Amino acid sequence: MEECALCKKKAELKNSHIIPKFVTDWIKKTGPTGFLRDTNNAFRLRVQDGLKVHLLCGECEQLFSKHEKIFAEKIFIPYLKDKMNYHFLIMHNFIQFHF
Ligand SMILES: [Zn+2]
Protein backbone atom coordinates (compact mmCIF):
# COMPACT_ATOMS: atom_id res chain seq x y z
CA MET A 1 0.00 0.00 0.00
CA GLU A 2 1.18 3.47 -0.91
CA GLU A 3 0.05 6.94 0.18
CA CYS A 4 -2.40 8.75 -2.09
CA ALA A 5 -0.95 12.12 -3.15
CA LEU A 6 -4.29 13.86 -2.57
CA CYS A 7 -6.08 12.36 0.44
CA LYS A 8 -2.91 10.89 2.04
CA LYS A 9 -4.67 7.60 2.85
CA LYS A 10 -2.81 4.33 2.41
CA ALA A 11 -4.36 2.57 -0.55
CA GLU A 12 -3.63 0.66 -3.71
CA LEU A 13 -2.87 3.50 -6.10
CA LYS A 14 -4.13 3.79 -9.65
CA ASN A 15 -2.05 4.60 -12.69
CA SER A 16 -2.95 8.27 -13.04
CA HIS A 17 -2.36 10.26 -16.21
CA ILE A 18 -0.09 13.22 -15.49
CA ILE A 19 -1.52 15.01 -18.53
CA PRO A 20 -5.24 14.28 -18.93
CA LYS A 21 -6.00 11.69 -21.60
CA PHE A 22 -8.26 14.08 -23.53
CA VAL A 23 -5.23 16.38 -23.94
CA THR A 24 -2.91 13.63 -25.18
CA ASP A 25 -5.68 12.41 -27.51
CA TRP A 26 -5.98 15.96 -28.88
CA ILE A 27 -2.19 16.19 -29.33
CA LYS A 28 -2.18 12.91 -31.25
CA LYS A 29 -5.16 13.98 -33.34
CA THR A 30 -3.81 17.43 -34.24
CA GLY A 31 -0.05 16.78 -34.25
CA PRO A 32 1.84 16.40 -37.53
CA THR A 33 2.65 12.71 -36.99
CA GLY A 34 -0.38 11.48 -35.04
CA PHE A 35 1.92 9.96 -32.43
CA LEU A 36 3.29 10.87 -29.03
CA ARG A 37 7.03 10.72 -28.43
CA ASP A 38 8.84 9.94 -25.19
CA THR A 39 11.03 13.01 -24.71
CA ASN A 40 12.83 11.32 -21.79
CA ASN A 41 14.12 8.66 -24.16
CA ALA A 42 17.26 9.51 -26.15
CA PHE A 43 15.68 7.98 -29.26
CA ARG A 44 12.36 9.80 -28.71
CA LEU A 45 10.43 6.58 -29.30
CA ARG A 46 6.72 6.58 -30.05
CA VAL A 47 4.43 5.91 -27.09
CA GLN A 48 0.76 4.98 -27.10
CA ASP A 49 -0.29 7.04 -24.11
CA GLY A 50 0.84 9.92 -21.92
CA LEU A 51 2.93 9.43 -18.79
CA LYS A 52 1.13 7.61 -15.99
CA VAL A 53 2.31 7.18 -12.41
CA HIS A 54 0.96 5.55 -9.27
CA LEU A 55 -0.38 8.73 -7.74
CA LEU A 56 -4.00 8.58 -6.55
CA CYS A 57 -6.31 6.13 -4.81
CA GLY A 58 -9.42 5.02 -6.67
CA GLU A 59 -11.66 7.53 -4.93
CA CYS A 60 -9.37 10.50 -5.71
CA GLU A 61 -8.83 9.25 -9.26
CA GLN A 62 -12.62 9.30 -9.72
CA LEU A 63 -12.77 12.82 -8.29
CA PHE A 64 -10.10 14.04 -10.74
CA SER A 65 -11.76 12.22 -13.58
CA LYS A 66 -15.08 13.95 -12.86
CA HIS A 67 -13.41 17.39 -12.83
CA GLU A 68 -11.34 16.64 -15.94
CA LYS A 69 -14.51 15.70 -17.80
CA ILE A 70 -16.16 18.98 -16.82
CA PHE A 71 -13.02 20.94 -17.79
CA ALA A 72 -12.85 19.16 -21.16
CA GLU A 73 -16.52 19.73 -21.95
CA LYS A 74 -16.91 23.26 -20.59
CA ILE A 75 -13.52 24.85 -21.28
CA PHE A 76 -11.07 22.85 -23.39
CA ILE A 77 -13.34 21.82 -26.29
CA PRO A 78 -15.26 25.15 -26.47
CA TYR A 79 -11.93 27.02 -26.41
CA LEU A 80 -10.65 24.99 -29.34
CA LYS A 81 -13.85 25.65 -31.25
CA ASP A 82 -13.70 29.40 -30.56
CA LYS A 83 -10.02 29.48 -31.43
CA MET A 84 -10.80 27.84 -34.76
CA ASN A 85 -13.57 30.38 -35.39
CA TYR A 86 -11.17 33.12 -34.40
CA HIS A 87 -8.58 31.98 -36.96
CA PHE A 88 -11.30 31.62 -39.58
CA LEU A 89 -12.44 35.17 -38.88
CA ILE A 90 -8.87 36.47 -39.26
CA MET A 91 -8.46 34.61 -42.57
CA HIS A 92 -11.84 35.87 -43.77
CA ASN A 93 -10.89 39.47 -42.94
CA PHE A 94 -7.45 39.03 -44.46
CA ILE A 95 -8.91 37.74 -47.74
CA GLN A 96 -11.45 40.60 -47.87
CA PHE A 97 -8.71 43.15 -47.23
CA HIS A 98 -6.38 41.87 -49.97
CA PHE A 99 -8.87 41.08 -52.75
ZN1 LIG B 1 -6.93 9.46 -2.34
Side-chain angles (χ1 to χ4, degrees):
M1 296 281 198
E2 299 169 273
E3 184 181 283
C4 173
L6 185 61
C7 70
K8 304 296 182 190
K9 292 178 189 166
K10 296 280 184 197
E12 188 173 321
L13 301 183
K14 302 290 182 186
N15 256 340
S16 304
H17 285 98
I18 297 301
I19 297 174
K21 188 169 180 344
F22 67 87
V23 175
T24 53
D25 287 347
W26 173 75
I27 291 168
K28 285 194 285 189
K29 185 178 167 187
T30 60
T33 64
F35 297 100
L36 295 174
R37 300 262 178 201
D38 181 358
T39 57
N40 292 321
N41 181 296
F43 300 105
R44 299 178 49 93
L45 298 174
R46 287 180 183 173
V47 290
Q48 291 292 317
D49 204 359
L51 176 65
K52 291 190 274 186
V53 295
H54 282 218
L55 189 65
L56 303 172
C57 70
E59 197 173 308
C60 290
E61 182 66 28
Q62 286 291 319
L63 184 66
F64 259 84
S65 181
K66 181 179 144 191
H67 290 287
E68 282 177 1
K69 184 175 186 297
I70 293 168
F71 176 79
E73 291 173 354
K74 303 286 184 195
I75 296 172
F76 190 75
I77 293 168
Y79 168 75
L80 292 176
K81 285 181 182 170
D82 285 347
K83 185 177 164 190
M84 293 302 279
N85 288 338
Y86 180 75
H87 288 285
F88 176 77
L89 185 63
I90 288 172
M91 282 301 288
H92 179 72
N93 289 340
F94 179 79
I95 289 167
Q96 280 187 330
F97 181 75
H98 287 278
F99 294 102

